[in-house]
């Protein structure tokens, strides 16, 4: 092995170690990359939430392990990640909290107010039928999540989620909205 080859190996090894350390530090620091159109693409940070989730909070949440989420995983709606069930956290906006009434029809209304960009799709992008969640009063300890992206898989289809599944507030770091 030549001196030049040994140097190249050392440089590449150091670069690989630095990249691994950078990724580990970023994940430990709450940084996540959003590759879904539910919110702007790019780098986000999870900020600890030291209060109950409130309306209009954009949050990272681990999907609950329910039949709807297992079907979503099987259909490819959820990416692999560190949440229970091996899925990645979702990034969504809280549009209803405990005690509010979420009515799901052609679109979503919360306490009688229509939620913008909340039309329900009858089928997903591959033509498979989508089943809306039943209308309900949000139970204590739960939140109703939404994304304005038309193809978003959110509480319109999987219902309210436990507030305890919220990892924290989603803070944009470096994003791009196409």
């Amino acid at each position: 092995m030549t001196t030049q080859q040994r140097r190249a190996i050392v440089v590449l090894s150091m670069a690989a170690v630095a990249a691994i350390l950078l990724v580990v530090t970023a994940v430990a620091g709450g940084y996540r990359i959003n590759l879904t159109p539910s919110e702007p693409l790019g780098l986000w940070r999870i900020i600890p939430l030291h209060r109950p989730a409130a309306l209009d909070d954009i949050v990272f949440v681990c999907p609950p392990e329910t039949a709807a989420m297992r079907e979503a995983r099987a259909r490819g709606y959820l990416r692999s990640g560190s949440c229970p069930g091996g899925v990645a956290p979702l990034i969504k906006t809280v549009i209803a909290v405990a005690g509010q009434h979420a009515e799901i029809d052609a679109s979503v209304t919360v306490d009688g107010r229509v939620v913008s960009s909340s039309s329900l799709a009858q089928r997903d992008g591959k033509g498979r039928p989508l089943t809306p969640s039943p209308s309900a009063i949000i139970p204590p300890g739960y939140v109703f999540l939404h994304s304005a992206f038309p193809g978003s898989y959110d509480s319109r289809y999987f219902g309210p989620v436990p507030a305890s599944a919220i990892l924290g507030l989603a803070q944009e770091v470096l994003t791009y909205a196409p």
Side-chain angles (χ1 to χ4, degrees):
M1 185 179 296
T2 67
T3 304
Q4 187 176 14
Q5 288 173 324
R6 280 193 299 274
R7 283 184 187 153
I9 289 171
V10 168
V11 168
L12 288 174
S13 297
M14 290 174 57
V17 168
I20 290 169
L21 286 173
L22 179 64
V23 168
V24 168
T25 301
V27 169
Y31 289 90
R32 299 291 185 273
I33 295 177
N34 178 43
L35 299 174
T36 69
S38 289
E39 293 294 337
L41 306 174
L43 186 63
W44 291 74
R45 184 166 183 221
I46 300 173
I47 303 296
L49 185 60
H50 301 294
R51 58 169 174 74
L55 297 178
D56 298 325
D57 281 348
I58 300 174
V59 297
F60 276 100
V61 61
C62 279
E65 295 185 80
T66 62
M69 289 302 180
R70 284 188 291 280
E71 182 178 0
R73 176 72 190 256
R75 287 183 170 200
Y77 301 163
L78 307 175
R79 299 185 193 290
S80 295
S82 59
C83 289
V87 298
L90 303 175
I91 181 171
K92 304 289 181 196
T93 301
V94 176
I95 62 165
V97 296
Q100 292 189 289
H101 184 253
E103 180 74 28
I104 302 171
D105 197 14
S107 61
V108 177
T109 60
V110 174
D111 291 340
R113 292 183 315 275
V114 176
V115 175
S116 80
S117 303
S118 69
S119 296
L120 269 75
Q122 299 299 312
R123 300 195 172 278
D124 69 9
K126 293 186 177 180
R128 298 171 291 197
L130 288 168
T131 304
S133 175
S135 300
I137 293 178
I138 310 305
Y142 281 74
V143 294
F144 193 92
L145 304 172
H146 175 67
S147 169
F149 176 67
S152 177
Y153 190 70
D154 54 32
S155 288
R156 290 176 280 189
Y157 307 103
F158 56 72
V161 298
S164 61
I166 294 174
L167 300 173
L169 293 171
Q171 178 187 55
E172 290 182 65
V173 176
L174 182 62
T175 62
Y176 166 73

